[in-house]
Amino acid sequence: MLEKKRPSAIAANNTCVVPSTCWECGAICGSLLTVKDGKVLKIAPNPAHPASKGAFCVKGIRAAHEWTYQSSRLRNPLRRVGPRGSGKFETVSWDSALDQMAEGFAGVRTEYGPLALVGAVSGAFFSRGLVMALLMRALGSPNWMINQDLCGGCRAVGEKMTGLDITGGEDIEHTACAMIVGRNPAVADPIQWMALKRAKTRGARILVIDPFRTSAVDIADLWLRPRPGTDTAVAMAMIKVCIDEGLYDRSFVRKWCHGFEELAQRVCSCKPAWAEEHSGVAAADIIAAARMYGEGPSCFVSGHGIDASSNGVQTFRAYNCLVGISGNVDRIGGNRRGKKPPGFKTYFDVLFDPAFRLSPDVEAERIGAKEFPLWSGPLGYQMACHNPSVIDAMLTGRPYPVRALFASGVNIAVTYPDTPRTIEALKNLDVFVVAAQTMTPTAAWADLVLPKTTTIEEEQVHIHQGAPCVTYTRPGAERDGDVKSDLEIALGLIERLAPRGAAEARFIPWAEQTEFNTYLLEGSGISLDDLRRDGFATFPYRLGNFEEKPFVGPTGKVELYSESMASVGLDPLPAHVPPSYVLDRVAVNDAFPLVLQTGLREKTYHHSRFREQAWARKVSPDPVVYIHPDTAERYGVAEGSWITVLTPGASGSCRLKAKLTTDTMTGVLTTGVGWWLPEAPAPHFGARDVNINAALSYSGRWDPASGSADTRGIACRIETAPHVEVG
């Protein structure tokens, strides 16, 4: 069989095709860039990439290209000249912008201390997040906010507390059963979706657990449809069945699981009939699902549908325990643990490296560290702040004042719940700087707006666990405008603050991105030249090397009983915690009779990005809420009509366009996230109107481990609303 040719650099007529990796989202698919005279003409999938195997999505093909070359792109630094939120800016030089930023941050630091400085970014999955964390540390602050409390954070904390380092769906290619829980791979992850379809073709069974009918249901052998937020009950009952029927790996449990007897005792009363009462899933279907998964080898494919809620960590812990007792850990067809070449440093390795950390007494002052030590403390996922508490600090000065914020690549006025309160917090700051590619509802409130590079102008080195391999993102395009990367912005700020004694350059010792990427690769046996040639580099690895690489956690085993959770006074065993609409039922009574599910993915958008692109708006022009026809009839909602959604405790509401379908359950409204309208008037751009986060609270019940607020499984009500033209 002939090996597929790797397109290292195929040149013709002054045009070349070079390999790269799209990192518009966490799927990170291998790509091919067609480049001519420093401009990317085309982005296409790379069939030779060992992880993505030619999988790709429309966002990678169209959105990344248009983001770089569209007329609305920010190409020069902007300084606010009118009142905050007026939308009045003037173009300034980078020197002027960075001087003003340094002056403002230095002033806040002098008056309030370094803890008053905060950064906001998506997270450390990509280098921009690590750069933000290190920049804040360079300024003496342990405070930085990430979006993961709303996106993957419960999964990450659950895995860490169990001792697993899996990301979900690692070996679908060889599995006998793919268990998809709260995930819509057809929209969220083209690599997974293609792998699932291949698995189905070769005879693997597909088990879907989801209240919403996704495309995966169409290829499923069994679909369990729990009521929103009750997935833990299903998982606990499946564990019960697997233990009772001996469908667990006794050898693996004996050698590599901690707390099996305690887990068995915990699920003793979690019979399928009990789970049926709590979840609405038939007991017989739960038994069938447990047997299907227990026969194995099985692969757990998890998604955000069981994330971002006040019971999210325990939900993931329950499914992680099922993975653990079944022995589907680091085996063919199961969930492969994280792999990397010897010597290679991931962004997380650098984040936790003592050489790049502040002193323990300063880290202990991080906002959220006392209340949520498994999120914001040294045992945390990324040691980031508890976001709602930072918003409180901006408004109230408790636990101490937060007076300056640098947000890069995140649109927090749209993506954080309780939009009106978030905006009030931004307005209350002394200094607010945003780095972005386009003007957004967040950037519109800034004092300075700094134009960022896009993903086809930047160089990145990343581990892809799908292959696994080291994958490379090439700066295929010359920069379109006077734009800078996150690292360049951070270095420019430190250069101005270090002479004042207001920053320590040791936290970011690299002079430019290539030097940083070389640092990550040192000792791995992989060079940047290798990556630039092929776009990726595979490396040898071993499965089941548990002695060589123990599981994360105090015992070095899969912790069915989490010692880390016990150490901070949290329940160390998985437990069914009812969703908020159940817990709040008496309080909200009949005023909020429906249930709201958010987070539904769309192929055209990634969170709040690309709303300004015409092709995307043509495909998905309006914010949609899915309503069951029976629910619509009961409340007089017609197809295509506009309704207002309200939830208890929220300071705002949201208008959405109704789509009638049986894909959602009776009494459940299902919608996406991230909507705003670039054509609407500044500074809100519709963020307080058509953005579901305007109708959600960021306060109240939080997950005790991750601090995540409820963004799904929420009691709600609807009212009729007019369709208001904007522009």
Side-chain angles (χ1 to χ4, degrees):
M1 182 175 178
L2 294 176
E3 182 181 354
K4 290 182 179 178
K5 181 176 178 59
R6 297 179 178 181
S8 53
I10 307 167
N13 300 324
N14 200 33
T15 302
C16 64
V17 178
V18 294
S20 185
T21 302
C22 175
W23 56 289
E24 288 302 329
C25 75
I28 49 176
C29 303
S31 63
L32 297 175
L33 307 180
T34 301
V35 183
K36 182 177 182 179
D37 299 329
K39 183 174 182 178
V40 172
L41 303 179
K42 178 183 177 183
I43 304 173
N46 183 359
H49 195 281
S52 57
K53 299 180 176 66
F56 222 58
C57 79
V58 67
K59 293 187 289 289
I61 292 172
R62 296 203 60 170
H65 184 272
E66 188 161 333
W67 222 21
T68 303
Y69 300 115
Q70 63 190 4
S71 60
S72 60
R73 181 184 179 182
L74 299 174
R75 290 176 168 84
N76 298 97
L78 301 176
R79 173 191 291 138
R80 178 172 59 84
V81 293
R84 186 171 279 169
S86 65
K88 296 181 179 180
F89 294 90
E90 65 177 0
T91 299
V92 296
S93 69
W94 271 102
D95 281 338
S96 179
L98 289 172
D99 285 346
Q100 180 178 331
M101 183 180 181
E103 189 71 30
F105 272 55
V108 167
R109 196 178 190 274
T110 298
E111 183 173 355
Y112 298 98
L115 298 181
L117 308 175
V118 177
V121 75
S122 57
F125 183 78
F126 300 114
S127 69
R128 57 181 175 254
L130 174 62
V131 168
M132 179 62 78
L134 296 182
L135 173 61
M136 289 299 110
R137 294 175 187 180
L139 303 182
S141 174
N143 291 322
W144 69 306
M145 299 190 290
I146 61 176
N147 282 8
Q148 268 63 49
D149 66 320
L150 307 166
C151 179
C154 291
R155 172 172 60 190
V157 173
E159 288 170 359
K160 190 166 186 176
M161 294 304 103
T162 314
L164 293 173
D165 51 345
I166 60 176
T167 57
E170 290 86 357
D171 199 13
I172 296 170
E173 296 290 354
H174 301 101
T175 197
C177 171
M179 181 175 67
I180 308 168
V181 186
R183 181 74 164 171
N184 188 359
V187 174
D189 194 322
I191 301 175
Q192 282 185 351
W193 184 232
M194 288 182 65
L196 286 165
K197 290 193 290 186
R198 288 192 296 267
K200 178 69 175 180
T201 298
R202 63 171 171 75
R205 289 179 291 181
I206 308 296
L207 165 62
V208 175
I209 304 176
D210 201 311
F212 191 81
R213 184 185 182 98
T214 67
S215 297
V217 173
D218 295 336
I219 64 171
D221 296 272
L222 180 61
W223 177 26
L224 307 189
R225 199 176 196 183
R227 290 190 289 267
T230 64
D231 306 81
T232 316
V234 174
M236 300 284 279
M238 289 178 67
I239 293 172
K240 166 72 172 170
V241 172
C242 287
I243 292 175
D244 287 351
E245 298 189 4
L247 298 173
Y248 65 97
D249 189 326
R250 290 177 173 79
S251 175
F252 184 83
V253 166
R254 184 175 61 256
K255 292 179 63 177
W256 296 113
C257 288
H258 172 71
F260 178 74
E261 296 302 326
E262 291 89 339
L263 177 67
Q265 183 62 35
R266 172 58 61 90
V267 301
C268 187
S269 61
C270 299
K271 299 178 181 179
W274 165 87
E276 179 175 353
E277 180 182 347
H278 284 281
S279 70
V281 177
D285 287 343
I286 294 174
I287 294 169
R291 290 170 178 169
M292 184 182 296
Y293 180 84
E295 289 176 8
S298 298
C299 187
F300 173 40
V301 184
S302 62
H304 297 317
I306 53 174
D307 210 323
S309 62
S310 60
N311 64 3
V313 171
Q314 284 290 43
T315 301
F316 271 102
R317 283 268 295 136
Y319 283 99
N320 289 336
C321 287
L322 182 60
V323 173
I325 68 168
S326 67
N328 284 302
V329 182
D330 235 21
R331 66 185 290 195
I332 297 294
N335 288 98
R336 186 170 54 243
R337 301 170 73 202
K339 308 296 180 184
K340 65 177 183 177
F344 183 90
K345 291 173 280 293
T346 67
Y347 303 138
F348 286 85
D349 291 334
V350 180
L351 188 70
F352 282 86
D353 188 335
F356 297 101
R357 290 178 65 170
L358 295 165
S359 63
D361 60 320
V362 175
E363 286 190 349
E365 294 299 316
R366 182 179 296 115
I367 294 177
K370 295 179 180 66
E371 298 81 3
F372 302 100
L374 300 182
W375 180 260
S376 301
L379 293 177
Y381 165 44
Q382 296 183 30
M383 298 183 294
C385 292
H386 181 240
N387 292 354
S389 297
V390 177
I391 300 297
D392 284 345
M394 292 176 181
L395 291 167
T396 69
R398 297 188 297 268
Y400 48 75
V402 169
R403 305 308 310 155
L405 172 64
F406 175 35
S408 180
V410 285
N411 192 2
I412 63 176
V414 173
T415 56
Y416 284 11
D418 202 342
T419 300
R421 196 162 190 267
T422 299
I423 291 173
E424 286 305 308
L426 299 180
K427 291 164 62 177
N428 199 45
L429 292 167
D430 295 338
V431 180
F432 181 34
V433 180
V434 170
Q437 287 89 0
T438 60
M439 184 59 67
T440 67
T442 302
W445 294 99
D447 304 308
L448 291 166
V449 182
L450 308 178
K452 279 167 54 80
T453 48
T454 68
T455 54
I456 60 174
E457 297 170 334
E458 300 173 350
E459 182 180 67
Q460 297 284 320
V461 172
H462 205 287
I463 288 284
H464 197 310
Q465 295 298 346
C469 66
V470 177
T471 194
Y472 177 73
T473 297
R474 174 187 293 268
E478 294 180 1
R479 296 182 180 184
D480 189 13
D482 191 10
V483 298
K484 291 186 182 295
S485 69
D486 288 270
L487 181 60
E488 290 166 338
I489 295 170
L491 289 171
L493 186 61
I494 291 172
E495 180 183 13
R496 287 160 172 80
L497 289 175
R500 308 175 188 217
E504 292 186 64
R506 70 175 180 88
F507 284 95
I508 305 183
W510 312 282
E512 40 81 37
Q513 192 77 32
T514 296
E515 184 179 332
F516 169 65
N517 290 334
T518 300
Y519 169 79
L520 299 178
L521 291 166
E522 283 176 359
S524 69
I526 298 171
S527 70
L528 275 176
D529 287 340
D530 296 333
L531 295 173
R532 288 166 179 160
R533 182 189 66 239
D534 298 330
F536 59 85
T538 57
F539 53 85
Y541 64 91
R542 288 179 54 211
L543 294 177
N545 58 336
F546 308 132
E547 294 89 352
E548 173 189 334
K549 182 189 174 186
F551 293 94
V552 179
T555 66
K557 297 181 178 182
V558 176
E559 296 199 357
L560 312 174
Y561 179 103
S562 171
E563 295 292 347
S564 294
M565 296 185 76
S567 71
V568 297
L570 297 181
D571 190 345
L573 291 164
H576 170 62
V577 179
S580 67
Y581 69 90
V582 174
L583 295 174
D584 295 339
R585 179 51 59 205
V586 174
V588 301
N589 202 5
D590 294 329
F592 298 91
L594 301 173
V595 177
L596 176 65
Q597 284 285 86
T598 73
L600 193 69
R601 295 293 186 258
E602 295 182 76
K603 287 186 177 181
T604 44
Y605 305 116
H606 185 219
H607 302 311
S608 71
R609 300 215 297 274
F610 316 136
R611 307 286 165 169
E612 78 286 352
Q613 297 189 10
W615 69 270
R617 291 292 294 279
K618 183 177 181 180
V619 174
S620 182
D622 300 305
V624 169
V625 58
Y626 294 90
I627 305 177
H628 193 281
D630 292 348
T631 308
E633 182 178 7
R634 179 180 176 186
Y635 290 95
V637 176
E639 174 75 23
S641 63
W642 287 78
I643 62 172
T644 297
V645 178
L646 304 99
T647 68
S651 58
S653 61
C654 175
R655 289 188 313 113
L656 300 169
K657 191 174 184 179
K659 183 175 179 60
L660 276 54
T661 175
T662 57
D663 289 347
T664 194
M665 300 175 75
T666 304
V668 176
L669 309 182
T670 305
T671 190
V673 295
W675 266 96
W676 59 286
L677 303 169
E679 69 273 21
H684 299 296
F685 296 111
R688 297 183 61 155
D689 179 25
V690 297
N691 171 27
I692 192 61
N693 275 321
L696 304 183
S697 172
Y698 214 3
S699 304
R701 188 177 291 112
W702 293 315
D703 188 291
S706 69
S708 296
D710 283 311
T711 62
R712 57 207 71 195
I714 307 166
C716 74
R717 73 169 186 263
I718 58 176
E719 299 174 354
T720 57
H723 172 46
V724 180
E725 295 292 340
V726 296

